[in-house]
Amino acid sequence: MPRVLLVDDDTELASLLVEYLNQDGFDADAVHDGESGVEAALSGHYSLVVLDVMMPRMNGVEALRAIRAASRIPVLMLTARGDDIDRILGLELGADDYVPKPCTPRELSARIRAILRRLDERGEAAADVEALRNGPLVLWPQRRAAQWQGEALALTGTEFSLLEVLVRRVGHVVSKAELSDKALGRPLARFDRSIDVHVSAIRQKLGNAADGQSWIRTVRGVGYQLVRE
């Protein structure tokens, strides 16, 4: 039974969501401030963290930054509907996905399952694969570890999943719809910029190729292509 940590200062909403998640097959707990959320997230007791952006004192973005400094645990952000700034900033700092508030408990549960299922499927699909390579880039899907130019490459869970899809299709253009389906575990929504933000973060970590161009090329109106080395 996956253990889920909910971090939200809205105690009434948190209680409702925890009750639903527990009835829906999860072992869910809630804390109500960012400091407690970071401590619990780093305890090693949870499979995933649901983190609200708007909290007093340490907000969700600050909490996410503290979590990511020490852990790659999957993090799902709860953001105000239409608030692109907090949502995109959260993704840039390493959130795996986001759900706009207000959301239904059913929608939240579905998003959590999508993230956990994606990680499970990646592990099963990679059971017989020792490593995926493209020039200085090496991925070990089974261990979800990456190396770039001989050094460990720190990636969030979503960044790893996206890069794995691109490496498996190296030299080919992969549509955003396919990336969303295979890496995020959900259909691509209209106006959803999550893929773009995650790819931008990966680009920054890889730097440019010898020709000065990005290792991940944008094919306008279609998707992205990892350059074959």
Side-chain angles (χ1 to χ4, degrees):
M1 183 180 294
R3 293 201 67 190
V4 174
L5 173 67
L6 177 65
V7 186
D8 195 324
D9 66 320
D10 186 334
T11 57
E12 184 175 349
L13 175 61
S15 178
L16 172 68
L17 293 176
V18 164
E19 181 178 1
Y20 182 91
L21 291 173
N22 284 333
Q23 292 175 354
D24 201 33
F26 297 99
D27 181 5
D29 298 318
V31 295
H32 306 296
D33 63 83
E35 293 93 336
S36 298
V38 172
E39 181 179 359
L42 298 180
S43 69
H45 296 157
Y46 295 95
S47 305
L48 180 143
V49 178
V50 179
L51 184 60
D52 185 36
V53 169
M54 296 301 297
M55 292 186 292
R57 298 188 298 277
M58 177 183 280
N59 63 37
V61 172
E62 294 169 332
L64 174 62
R65 184 180 287 110
I67 292 170
R68 277 291 169 261
S71 173
R72 306 267 62 112
I73 185 172
V75 176
L76 178 67
M77 302 290 287
L78 294 177
T79 70
R81 189 172 297 275
D83 193 345
D84 283 343
I85 294 176
D86 282 337
R87 173 171 60 82
I88 292 174
L89 181 57
L91 293 176
E92 289 177 340
L93 289 174
D96 292 271
D97 205 352
Y98 72 96
V99 175
K101 293 174 68 175
C103 67
T104 65
R106 183 178 181 180
E107 179 184 7
L108 178 62
S109 178
R111 287 294 186 91
I112 292 172
R113 289 190 189 282
I115 292 174
L116 296 178
R117 182 174 61 249
R118 183 180 78 227
L119 296 179
D120 288 342
E121 288 173 351
R122 286 282 174 248
E124 292 173 5
D128 297 325
V129 178
E130 177 61 25
L132 300 173
R133 301 175 185 274
N134 182 50
L137 176 65
V138 186
L139 300 184
W140 289 272
Q142 190 170 14
R143 294 188 284 117
R144 295 187 69 77
Q147 190 178 82
W148 175 247
Q149 295 180 341
E151 300 290 338
L153 179 63
L155 298 169
T156 68
T158 297
E159 289 169 3
F160 187 96
S161 296
L162 281 167
L163 193 53
E164 182 184 347
V165 174
L166 291 171
V167 171
R168 291 182 183 276
R169 299 283 304 281
V170 62
H172 298 275
V173 179
V174 184
S175 70
K176 290 184 181 180
E178 182 178 349
L179 285 169
S180 184
D181 180 59
K182 292 185 176 180
L184 299 186
R186 57 180 170 82
L188 182 66
R190 192 179 183 188
F191 305 124
D192 189 344
R193 295 177 56 196
S194 302
I195 298 293
D196 304 310
V197 175
H198 288 303
V199 169
S200 176
I202 297 171
R203 281 172 166 163
Q204 291 180 21
K205 294 177 180 181
L206 297 183
N208 292 331
D211 61 2
Q213 299 294 312
S214 171
W215 284 93
I216 302 176
R217 307 287 168 84
T218 299
V219 180
R220 190 173 299 278
V222 182
Y224 293 100
Q225 176 189 34
L226 179 66
V227 176
R228 185 183 297 277
E229 174 67 8

